[in-house]
Amino acid sequence: MPADANKAAAGDIGRLLRPRSIAIVGASEKPGALGNSVLLNLERLGFDGELHLVNPKREEIAGRRCVKSVEDLPLGIDAAVLAIPRAFVLDAIRGLAERGCGSVVIFSAGFAEAGDAGLEEQRQIGEIALKAGMIVEGPNCLGCVNFIDQIALTFVEAPTPKLGARRKGIAIVSQSGAMAAVLGSNLTDRDIGLSYSVSTGNEAASGVEDFVEYMIADKNTSVIAMIVEQFRNPARFLELAAKARRAKKPIVLLHPGKSTAAAESAATHTGAMAGDYSVMRTKVERAGVIVADTLEELGDIAEIAARCRQLPSGGCVVLTESGAFKALTLDLAEEIGLDLPKLTDANAPELRAAMPEFVAVSNPVDMTAQALVDPDMYRRVLSAAVGDKRFGSVVLAIIQTDHSTTDKKFPPIIDALGELKSSKPIIVTGIDEGGVVRKAYVKGVRRKGSAYFPTSDRAMRAIAKLSAYSGQDFSESRRKPLKARKALVAGVVPEFRAKEILGPLGVPFPKSKLARSKHEAIEAAKALGYPVVLKAQSAELSHKSDAGGVMVGLQSADEIASAWDKMQSSVTSYKPGLELDGILVESMGDRGVELIIGAKSEPGWGPVILAGFGGVQAELYQDVCLLSPDLTEAAIIGQLRQLKGARLLTGFRGSAPVDLEAVAEIISTIGRLMIGEPDIREIDLNPVVAYPKGKGAVALDALMLIARE
């Protein structure tokens, strides 16, 4: 880990990515040696700055003079590449720091990932770098490539196409060197311009956040594609992501770890359901990051964002040549949340005029095979689609089959793209991935500012992600954070105390009283009015039902007395020696739709709010969503409407719609409290019963977890 994860790198990353002087420590003439591969890369790409070689056993290599050690290097070299075994790295770092070296690339592995000794050496590297103001890439990295100036500080001999004048490209920032190389190859093969590729490895001193900050300011970078397994400074990354969004530089992220079991929590349902990955994803998407689910999708999203003149937004229209394919497209669009506005002959006159008379207008649009005999139809239909304000993107999905077919289709399509010069993204795709398409046609599509995909499935998934990003409301609630009115004591906070904290802040609960004897329970029930509920109270009973600690529908003093004895016996059997704080006597509420509302604060990431369908089935079905705590109440309601069971909220089979405004008010209150009280780790309101519109919502149970000192 970095020496101080809360600080940015102390040095100038420009000295690493755009060096004018480079030292190769461990230079070699041996083919395949890391030091030899770096030297060959620099020579192959024509590096014209100062190049210094270090090898204690050689006077020269490939006609270039060698020095014996880093102590013999000139002062102030911009970048040094360490192509040496781990055992010699720490001394080399010390020597380079003393010589005022601006940056270091460490290929060697065997540091933090290899045990305590390696971890200690990595920690020392971080300390030296921080003190000297030196950028460190690695250890355990693949190096970096500058495609603008053609400088490759890596041992991988990969294609390094020059970005070219007045162009902007995709910057790759990846902790994995292998995945950075793979993504770079994939994008290069698609004729996508790259600005930089950086693999950060173990991040002893400089992390992905440092490089993202550089890319945001870099005039040659338009999109940042990231592969990250762990953010070491989440709060800083969220700030940078918001900055990138404001600068109109999309960040596309692939983050492995979705399938990892969520960290267990002894306290709340919320903690069990809001795992590390889901918290990360909620926070970064709220900051404006587009999260890809696969390596292929990462490249697809980045390509469209980089190649097209503007990002997809709003609705999409799909133009195809198969009636059967329409149904498949509609299924996929519903699955991925891609909006396909409905089209008819009446509401789309331009498309009606462009289409064969025997085909009804719809979305997807079935152009049939008519374009084979009327190739101008591509231009007419594309023109009508682009001119329709309902669409922020167009997919032209064609049947490719063989050379004879594509030779008829692609020339008029390319001509149409050139004539239209659309600022809206037009993505040309195949339906049959195995169809034969000449490379010249693919290049022709791309040169007109459009993208080509072998399948429409990939294109539509990428468009759905980009459209959601374009349509996201990043405005924040204007309501102020809340502070608790009672002291927060570390540990699990049982229900009765949680209600004492949350009730005065506006969270609605049923009327209740804590009883410490059977007599007090009976008197409390009389005061509250029957029927009532009894609930055992202890910080050691996070889930009371498991211990027989909840009894409902009690109608008389005799029933309360019997329930009291039975509950005491059940709890003692469940956890011998447990002493209850008391038993909460609470008014029975009316039936309604049961929800769960909770919150979790993840170290580094901060709080998220969980909301969805609750009760005892909360963890079983997990029909929940995670929300940022700063959302407006309108945005909260919008998210609730996306739940799988949302029809239960809006009126199902004649039932009345529930009071979503009241539910959103509770969620907003919890969010404001989590922002105002960072010591709160978890809150769990389960169930929250939502009543018909205008009648509010009530939290029946509450539990909290406060950070331990």
Side-chain angles (χ1 to χ4, degrees), residues 107 195 222 403 406:
F107 296 143
S195 55
S222 61
H403 281 311
T406 53

Side-chain angles (χ1 to χ4, degrees), residues 8 20 50 83 111 162 247 307 341 515 547 552:
R20 298 311 307 149
E50 297 178 15
F111 288 88
K162 189 173 178 66
R307 193 184 294 284
V552 303

Side-chain angles (χ1 to χ4, degrees), residues 449-611:
S450 296
Y452 170 81
F453 286 86
T455 71
S456 59
D457 183 299
R458 284 173 51 185
M460 288 190 284
R461 289 181 186 277
I463 289 170
K465 291 283 181 75
L466 285 161
S467 297
Y469 167 79
S470 298
Q472 187 171 342
D473 181 3
F474 292 103
S475 60
E476 299 181 3
S477 172
R478 296 183 179 180
R479 303 178 72 181
K480 294 181 180 179
L482 288 173
K483 301 290 289 185
R485 299 176 188 176
K486 290 182 174 290
L488 300 179
V489 179
V492 175
V493 181
E495 176 185 4
F496 77 101
R497 294 202 183 280
K499 289 181 173 180
E500 289 175 352
I501 295 170
L502 300 174
L505 300 178
V507 178
F509 296 109
K511 293 180 179 180
S512 62
K513 290 186 177 182
L514 183 69
R516 291 185 169 84
S517 69
K518 191 184 302 183
H519 174 71
E520 287 185 6
I522 293 171
E523 291 301 311
K526 288 180 181 178
L528 294 170
Y530 292 105
V532 296
V533 182
L534 296 190
K535 301 179 186 178
Q537 299 296 300
S538 170
E540 298 182 57
L541 285 180
S542 298
H543 302 296
K544 297 180 286 293
S545 297
D546 296 345
V550 179
M551 295 189 181
V552 303
L554 304 177
Q555 298 278 4
S556 66
D558 288 343
E559 288 185 14
I560 289 175
S562 176
W564 181 281
D565 293 337
K566 186 176 179 181
M567 185 176 292
Q568 293 282 0
S569 175
S570 180
V571 168
T572 300
S573 176
Y574 178 80
K575 196 158 191 174
L578 174 65
E579 291 188 14
L580 296 177
D581 296 318
I583 292 179
L584 193 67
V585 184
E586 190 167 82
S587 297
M588 276 284 290
D590 295 329
R591 287 184 176 274
V593 177
E594 289 193 356
L595 303 173
I596 181 173
I597 297 173
K600 178 181 180 181
S601 185
E602 189 75 28
W605 291 109
V608 293
I609 310 302
L610 179 143

Side-chain angles (χ1 to χ4, degrees), residues 8-17 78-80 93 101-106 125 129-130 132-138 205-207 210-211:
D12 176 7
I13 286 179
R15 296 185 72 184
L16 170 68
L17 297 180
D78 285 328
I93 292 289
C101 181
S103 63
V104 180
V105 179
I106 307 173
I125 290 171
L130 191 62
M134 184 167 64
I135 297 295
V136 173
E137 184 186 2
S206 310
D210 301 307
F211 292 98

